[in-house]
Amino acid sequence: MIRRRGLMLVLSSPSGAGKTSIARALLKQDSQLTMSVSATTRRRRPGEVEGKDYFFMDEAAFKTKINQRYFLEYAEVFDHHYGTPAEVVGKTLEGGHDVLFDIDWQGTQQIKARARQDLVSIFVLPPSTAELERRLLTRAQDTAEVVARRMAKAADEMSHYPEYDYVIINHDLAQSVAAVQTILDAERLRIERQQGLSDFVKQLRDASSN
Ligand code: 5GP
């Protein structure tokens, strides 16, 4: 009888802070959560799968989709475009399921402006700069030049943490996953997300006053 409107759970961080590992673990343990697959104009990295990691497309196709208002949000990150297809998100939320996003601060601000009530945003910080660099280097998917650029960009990214609802310092993956799950469980119980409460309580009250 109580139906729930889904929520949008955004995880942002500088690359290498560990949000991808947190996202993977959450998706594995929480069946009500689905990942939003973004479109991007950047090149596919080894191991990445079309339609699972990203929808890869060229600039012209991306621009057409912008004009068609296909994206819930989009932004330029590291000289490439990234955007969230809107339609699937809307349907998932209406179906009472939650959507997990790995997007940057620009996209988070756009969603905040458009749908604040559905947004729960978490910023993930690395435990230290040295650890951030180590994680970027051991990922070994990018060239040394790209790693250096990403480190430089990280400082800028991290200045946006106050725009988020929650901050997690990722010392330990399991602890961070547990923290995000706690936030998710609590946010699901918000009064605004539970539909049919007034009828339910009315029934409870009617029955108890008989
Ligand atoms: P990467 O190229 O490492 O996969 O992602 C680079 C950055 O782009 C990450 O910080 C990621 O959060 C961000 N990103 C990925 N998809 C989207 C998207 O759809 N929208 C926005 N605004 N940022 C995205």
Side-chain angles (χ1 to χ4, degrees):
M1 199 177 132
I2 306 290
R3 290 195 63 241
R4 189 172 69 78
R5 179 167 168 78
L7 57 83
M8 299 194 261
L9 181 68
V10 167
L11 286 183
S12 296
S13 75
S15 351
K19 88 196 133 170
T20 310
S21 308
I22 296 174
R24 275 202 198 115
L26 275 175
L27 290 166
K28 219 169 165 187
Q29 72 186 31
D30 193 316
S31 60
Q32 290 180 61
L33 194 61
T34 58
M35 187 83 199
S36 165
V37 180
S38 298
T40 184
T41 59
R42 84 148 160 76
R43 285 175 57 178
R44 201 160 63 85
R45 295 191 188 123
E48 284 184 331
V49 178
E50 163 72 22
K52 185 167 171 279
D53 295 292
Y54 282 106
F55 296 105
F56 297 94
M57 58 184 69
D58 61 21
E59 283 290 341
F62 197 95
K63 291 232 164 79
T64 304
K65 297 226 180 268
I66 292 176
N67 293 333
Q68 292 168 340
R69 302 194 184 285
Y70 174 79
F71 295 119
L72 173 64
E73 62 72 37
Y74 63 92
E76 196 178 319
V77 189
F78 304 117
D79 301 334
H80 296 291
H81 279 105
Y82 294 81
T84 301
E87 195 179 330
V88 63
V89 174
K91 285 190 176 148
T92 308
L93 298 184
E94 279 158 29
H97 285 81
D98 308 304
V99 185
L100 180 62
F101 297 79
D102 171 347
I103 61 173
D104 82 332
W105 63 271
Q106 304 174 80
T108 309
Q109 282 193 348
Q110 291 171 44
I111 295 180
K112 202 170 176 178
R114 279 180 73 166
R116 179 69 187 102
Q117 70 286 359
D118 290 331
L119 172 69
V120 177
S121 60
I122 305 177
F123 200 90
V124 180
L125 288 170
S128 67
T129 311
E131 179 60 17
L132 183 67
E133 187 165 26
R134 194 191 64 76
R135 288 182 191 167
L136 279 177
L137 286 170
T138 52
R139 195 161 71 175
Q141 285 178 325
D142 295 313
T143 62
E145 189 202 328
V146 170
V147 170
R149 281 186 59 211
R150 282 176 185 250
M151 279 303 289
K153 191 96 201 297
D156 181 46
E157 292 273 341
M158 286 189 283
S159 71
H160 289 279
Y161 80 87
E163 296 152 24
Y164 285 71
D165 298 322
Y166 300 92
V167 168
I168 289 175
I169 301 173
N170 187 20
H171 293 285
D172 172 82
L173 176 62
Q175 272 179 23
S176 299
V177 172
V180 178
Q181 186 72 60
T182 302
I183 293 167
L184 188 53
D185 290 343
E187 289 283 349
R188 282 171 172 160
L189 295 176
R190 274 196 183 274
I191 287 176
E192 314 84 81
R193 301 198 215 287
Q194 299 194 56
Q195 297 160 346
L197 271 181
S198 62
D199 284 347
F200 178 66
V201 174
K202 184 174 179 306
Q203 274 189 17
L204 289 177
R205 296 185 69 201
D206 287 351
S208 48
S209 60
N210 285 335

